[in-house]
């Protein structure tokens, strides 16, 4: 009897335990999962991003560059914008602390990185290792534009861009080259005839549509999505540079041809003027940068850059242009504090403003303010002796960076139209296998409207 009772009791306990287990499973399925479903899905989804093509491609690319000591830094505008919005949180993140892929998993066709070419020690070895790791890489090269016209060197090619694909994602590596004005330059991504146009959607690239110039960024290391990367220390400044980074070269080949036709003036007086003019331009650039005022080379200084890649030795002044909307009320005092006394002030802020400052060695700095109308721009001029006012008309123009006497400065992108508006239609004279553009260095008055002197 006691033995039967023990079996019955054991069966009852087993049945009860099974029923309780089934109840727990039912309760979890129909109540807890409904209550916590969103949180569980989020946790599960956060790991899916780390298995995605984009993240894995970027991770492998970073592993490749780190193993070869290639100091790349992130310049992708979309990701830098996200980082900038969450900058404090990103700076405090530690390696491996990411629970969700928030940056490198954002949908996009490319991830853009950059490197400074002078720091790249083993370019060919890196290229081979990249292909061994599964990347398909395209290398874009072109001639160094600064050597244009030097027969023995003009054929030298330099790397400008790498595009490496893995699975369905691509990394665009922009190669920055140092320039003498202490800035970084990248070249135009121009597809040569043999390149497969379907390799990647080239039109979606953020860099390479035209050459670009950037301030040399200070870099810092951060951790995003569990990966350690270098980024510009001031990501907002770099982002602001991108839409205004277009760069145009001085016409080196034409300048060398110009000096074959017209010998350079290397007299003591000419060399002294060039030195003083360069120092004056450097001082003006430094002063205007502190004020946050954009400027560009104008009039004879712009002509010298375009025609001979240098300062015209007999011009006797430095000419700059500034948009009137960038005018600052303390601009005169800023130049005076820099040691440049005001020599002339013509016009008013609302009409035909022109400033002239006296530099050393009798070299003058002339600043012309430009006003924008619906279909043109103009700047005013005043004859010192008669007080007559003139309005000089210009077609609308945009600004590009260039290099001038070892400085990164702006010029009108539409340079020929700008110069012709100032000095008249250029004349081209052919000589042997090269051509020379000739301009007179006198302001063009035929498109100027004479204005009465306001009371």
């Amino acid at each position: 009897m006691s033995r039967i009772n023990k079996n019955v009791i054991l069966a009852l306990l087993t049945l009860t335990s099974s029923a309780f287990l089934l109840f727990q499973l039912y309760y979890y399925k129909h109540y807890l999962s409904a209550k916590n479903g969103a949180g569980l899905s989020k946790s599960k989804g956060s790991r899916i991003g780390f298995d995605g093509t984009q993240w894995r491609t970027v991770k492998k690319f970073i592993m490749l560059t780190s193993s070869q000591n290639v100091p790349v830094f992130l310049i992708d505008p979309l990701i830098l914008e996200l980082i900038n919005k969450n900058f404090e949180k990103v700076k405090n993140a530690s390696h491996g602390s990411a629970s969700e892929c928030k940056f490198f998993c954002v949908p996009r066709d490319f991830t853009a990185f950059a490197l400074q070419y002078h720091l790249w020690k083993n370019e060919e070895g890196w290229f081979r290792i990249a292909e061994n790791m599964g990347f398909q890489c395209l290398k874009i090269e072109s001639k160094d534009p600064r050597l244009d016209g030097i027969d023995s060197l003009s054929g030298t090619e330099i790397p400008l861009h790498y595009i490496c694909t893995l699975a369905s994602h691509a990394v665009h590596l922009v190669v920055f080259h140092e320039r003498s004005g202490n800035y970084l330059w990248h070249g135009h991504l121009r597809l040569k005839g043999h390149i497969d146009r379907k390799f990647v959607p080239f039109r979606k690239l953020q860099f390479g549509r035209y050459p670009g110039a950037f301030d040399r960024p200070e870099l810092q290391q951060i951790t995003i999505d569990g990966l350690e990367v270098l980024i510009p220390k001031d990501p907002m400044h770099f982002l602001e540079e991108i839409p205004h980074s277009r760069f145009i070269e001085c016409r080196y080949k034409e300048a060398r041809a110009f000096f074959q036709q017209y010998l350079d003036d290397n007299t003591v007086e000419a060399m002294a003027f060039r030195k003083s003019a360069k120092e004056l331009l450097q001082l003006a650039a430094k002063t205007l940068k502190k004020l946050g005022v954009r400027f560009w080379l104008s009039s004879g200084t712009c002509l010298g850059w375009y025609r001979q890649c240098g300062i015209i030795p007999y011009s006797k002044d430095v000419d700059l242009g500034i948009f009137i909307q960038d005018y600052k009320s303390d601009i005169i005092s800023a130049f005076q504090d820099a040691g440049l006394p005001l020599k002339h002030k013509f016009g008013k802020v609302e009409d035909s403003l022109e400033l002239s400052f006296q530099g050393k060695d009798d070299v003058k700095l002339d600043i012309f303010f430009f006003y924008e109308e619906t279909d043109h721009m103009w700047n005013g001029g005043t004859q010192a002796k008669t007080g007559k006012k003139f309005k000089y008309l210009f077609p609308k123009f945009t600004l590009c960076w260039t290099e001038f006497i070892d400085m990164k400065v702006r010029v009108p992108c539409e340079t020929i139209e700008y110069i012709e508006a100032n000095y008249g239609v250029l004349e081209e004279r052919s000589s042997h296998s090269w051509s020379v553009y000739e301009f007179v260095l006198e302001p063009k008055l035929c498109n100027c409207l004479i204005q009465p002197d306001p009371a």
Side-chain angles (χ1 to χ4, degrees), residues 344-355 369 371 380-382 387 389 453-454:
H344 296 298
K345 178 184 178 183
F346 296 117
K348 298 177 290 186
V349 174
E350 59 272 19
D351 176 41
S352 306
L353 183 63
E354 179 185 342
L355 301 176
F369 288 86
Y371 300 75
T382 304
K389 294 174 65 65
D453 193 20

Side-chain angles (χ1 to χ4, degrees), residues 248 250-251 281 296-312 315 317-321 368 370 394 397-400 402-404 409-420 422-423 439 441:
I248 56 178
C250 161
R251 305 182 320 142
L281 180 57
W296 65 90
L297 305 182
S298 190
S299 303
T301 308
C302 184
L303 174 59
W305 166 80
Y306 181 79
R307 187 178 68 183
Q308 59 211 65
C309 295
I311 295 170
I312 299 174
S315 57
D317 56 21
V318 173
D319 302 311
L320 304 180
F368 304 96
F370 281 66
F394 292 80
F397 58 88
T398 53
L399 297 179
C400 287
T402 192
E403 185 173 318
F404 181 65
V409 294
R410 293 182 179 92
V411 292
C413 302
E414 301 77 13
T415 315
I416 294 178
E417 294 82 358
Y418 185 86
I419 292 175
E420 286 185 342
N422 228 24
Y423 296 110
F439 299 87
L441 195 56

